[in-house]
Amino acid sequence: MFFSLFAGVNPAKAEAALNVNADGAILVDGETGKVLYEKNADSVLGIASMTKMMTEYILLEAVKSGKVKWDQEYTPSDLVYKISQNRDLSNVPLRADGKYKVRELYEAMAIYSANAATIAIAEVIGGSETNFVKMMNEKAKKLGLKDYKFVNSTGLNNRDYLGQHPQGTGPEDENVMSPRTVAKLAYHLINDFPDVLKTASTPRKFFKEGTDDQIKMDNWNWMLPSLTFGYEGMDGLKTGTTDFAGSCFTGTASRDGKRFITVVQNAKDANGQGSHKARFDETRKMLDYAFSNYSKEELVPKHYQIKGHKSVPVIKGKDNQVKIYTKSAIDMVVLNGDKENYKPVLVLDKKKINKKGELTAPIKKGETVGYLTIEPKNGEKVSFLTEEGQKKIQVDVIAAQDVEKANWFVLMMRGIGNFFGDVWHGISSTVKGWF
């Protein structure tokens, strides 16, 4: 059932004046996953070290469940030691006989994109990186991701593994995802484990501080407020660069109660060249647009009653109807001035109403009888990354009062009254037919 909430003429919907210079890009609301802009969002592209968001997710989940402890110690395998000594890759050098806590390996991965530290985490959780890659692909499926393939935990090209890449993958394989899928992974990561942003937003930190192995880790996210391309509110999330993937970045920033997530894959400058600066410039373009043109608005207030449908008929009750209203408000990020272009949609619970649309007493105050959501008046579909996000613009519709069940005598008298009413109706119809 569709009911209009807002008055006025629908203004023409503003179109995003964006031309993001990347092979693929997407901009979404960080709270609901509402898609605000997209370019080739379903094209499967290289992701490089943005891969590490999945490794982070699985690690944080393992820590939460108690399967892994932050102070758990790890001694490097032969592969991890060899990879860690390659300074052409992003790494913190590890000693072959050293002992490293999971937390410091995690910080090296999240802040400095350290590849050997990432493989170490994969081995801690999966026993081997081969097993961990299976876990990555299984977790992607459980999260409802599409358009992806994980062949290692780091985002490196498998050639960098010096012949020791995970079993079942090719020697030149590299991880791939679509921009929409990367954004969905980032959405799950920051909403399921918001503490990840505390680490991701650390501009610099010393690995093994105070020891002979101390090394300074500067965050590769140069859009953090204190770094080269500082952006107000930026607090994550993950960069990535390989020859195959180009310059990539998943960013997120929060201001004034609004959070946005951006993804660019193979970002390029005006001359068509990929660079670290290009991925941050294109990200800035999307975030500037989002913060300037979108506002978080209350589209439906708490205890809202739908005009013309403020109550629902009730059978077998002391009252023959019950008032209904929304349990809470609906807030959503919308284009400035676009609030009036949305309408509420009421859906009553089919399990609770009969074919005539009636509820059956008894009914308790606060009992859920359906839900209310919103849709654009022009019929356009609002796209969300997840079903969970879609439900964030859906609120329960509840009974505003108790309706007790009528006793047997009242029900009997109503039945008699209805019987004679039907008889009288039949007689009157017949009489009318005589004249």
Side-chain angles (χ1 to χ4, degrees):
M1 288 181 268
F2 298 84
F3 308 104
S4 179
L5 171 61
F6 305 108
V9 179
N10 293 341
K13 186 175 182 179
E15 294 295 332
L18 284 171
N19 182 26
V20 175
N21 196 8
D23 285 355
I26 195 168
L27 164 68
V28 302
D29 171 37
E31 182 179 351
T32 65
K34 179 184 177 184
V35 178
L36 310 178
Y37 168 83
E38 60 182 271
K39 176 182 179 180
N40 300 330
D42 297 308
S43 297
V44 180
L45 304 166
I47 57 173
S49 281
M50 295 194 301
T51 296
K52 293 180 173 78
M53 291 190 293
M54 177 58 86
T55 304
E56 290 170 1
Y57 189 98
I58 295 174
L59 171 62
L60 293 170
E61 189 174 57
V63 170
K64 183 179 180 179
S65 68
K67 293 180 180 178
V68 174
K69 306 293 184 182
W70 283 123
D71 59 357
Q72 185 173 330
E73 290 188 332
Y74 165 86
T75 298
S77 64
D78 180 62
L79 171 65
V80 168
Y81 170 71
K82 287 181 179 179
I83 295 288
S84 78
Q85 304 306 305
N86 186 349
R87 297 314 304 274
D88 290 334
L89 305 176
S90 184
N91 268 315
V92 291
L94 303 174
R95 293 180 181 269
D97 59 351
K99 291 186 181 297
Y100 302 92
K101 292 183 178 180
V102 168
R103 183 178 291 279
E104 58 189 350
L105 294 171
Y106 164 64
E107 290 173 343
M109 172 177 64
I111 298 169
Y112 201 47
S113 199
N115 289 290
T118 303
I119 300 171
I121 289 171
E123 292 180 354
V124 167
I125 299 172
S128 70
E129 190 175 15
T130 295
N131 288 339
F132 188 78
V133 169
K134 293 177 182 177
M135 295 171 66
M136 295 173 79
N137 286 291
E138 288 170 358
K139 179 56 64 178
K141 185 177 180 180
K142 288 181 179 179
L143 291 175
L145 306 188
K146 298 178 180 179
D147 304 320
Y148 66 87
K149 182 180 180 181
F150 292 107
V151 298
N152 60 52
S153 64
T154 60
L156 293 172
N157 189 289
N158 270 355
R159 77 170 73 94
D160 294 313
Y161 278 73
L162 308 174
Q164 297 186 61
H165 52 273
Q167 296 175 19
T169 67
E172 295 289 325
D173 281 355
E174 195 163 319
N175 300 325
V176 294
M177 298 173 83
S178 68
R180 192 184 311 279
T181 302
V182 175
K184 191 171 181 178
L185 173 58
Y187 174 84
H188 279 295
L189 179 60
I190 67 173
N191 283 283
D192 293 352
F193 303 103
D195 282 351
V196 70
L197 295 175
K198 294 180 182 179
T199 306
S201 63
T202 303
R204 57 185 59 85
K205 189 178 180 70
F206 284 98
F207 182 76
K208 302 303 290 185
E209 186 172 10
T211 72
D212 293 340
D213 295 335
Q214 176 176 299
I215 182 173
K216 185 181 179 183
M217 301 186 296
D218 288 318
N219 201 313
W220 287 104
N221 179 1
W222 296 349
M223 288 188 79
L224 293 176
S226 64
L227 301 184
T228 308
F229 301 108
Y231 191 86
E232 182 187 351
M234 173 67 66
D235 54 4
L237 193 55
K238 194 69 199 72
T239 56
T241 308
T242 62
D243 292 341
F244 171 69
S247 295
C248 305
F249 181 44
T250 299
T252 184
S254 177
R255 293 185 199 165
D256 303 322
K258 295 178 290 185
R259 175 174 292 282
F260 299 104
I261 298 171
T262 61
V263 177
V264 290
Q265 287 172 259
N266 197 17
K268 301 168 186 175
D269 61 22
N271 297 318
Q273 300 297 313
S275 66
H276 292 335
K277 184 176 184 298
R279 65 187 175 191
F280 299 131
D281 285 344
E282 300 311 297
T283 296
R284 181 182 296 272
K285 189 184 296 184
M286 286 192 284
L287 288 174
D288 282 348
Y289 171 78
F291 283 115
S292 297
N293 291 280
Y294 281 87
S295 302
K296 189 173 182 179
E297 300 282 355
E298 182 180 82
L299 300 185
V300 174
K302 180 180 180 179
H303 290 178
Y304 172 72
Q305 291 187 290
I306 298 96
K307 185 178 180 181
H309 292 268
K310 295 182 179 181
S311 62
V312 177
V314 175
I315 59 173
K316 298 183 180 180
K318 288 186 176 181
D319 299 313
N320 59 12
Q321 61 181 10
V322 60
K323 292 181 180 180
I324 59 172
Y325 51 47
T326 57
K327 184 177 182 179
S328 55
I330 295 179
D331 297 326
M332 188 174 75
V333 166
V334 297
L335 274 170
N336 295 337
D338 211 30
K339 176 179 177 179
E340 293 76 14
N341 293 326
Y342 289 87
K343 62 186 177 183
V345 179
L346 173 66
V347 180
L348 294 176
D349 189 341
K350 292 182 179 179
K351 295 180 180 179
K352 293 190 175 183
I353 58 172
N354 61 23
K355 293 181 180 180
K356 295 181 179 180
E358 300 167 320
L359 294 167
T360 302
I363 300 167
K364 294 291 185 181
K365 181 179 180 179
E367 181 180 337
T368 300
V369 298
Y371 68 86
L372 188 79
T373 188
I374 53 172
E375 290 183 354
K377 290 181 179 179
N378 60 12
E380 291 184 4
K381 184 179 179 181
V382 179
S383 177
F384 292 84
L385 292 176
T386 67
E387 290 183 9
E388 295 88 351
Q390 172 77 58
K391 289 179 180 178
K392 288 185 178 181
I393 60 162
Q394 175 179 309
V395 293
D396 287 342
V397 172
I398 60 176
Q401 62 194 93
D402 290 329
V403 177
E404 296 181 14
K405 185 174 182 179
N407 61 41
W408 68 270
F409 182 75
V410 172
L411 293 176
M412 181 183 70
M413 294 305 294
R414 283 182 185 171
I416 294 171
N418 290 335
F419 171 77
F420 283 108
D422 291 340
V423 171
W424 173 248
H425 177 74
I427 294 172
S428 62
S429 297
T430 302
V431 170
K432 287 179 182 177
W434 289 347
F435 293 95

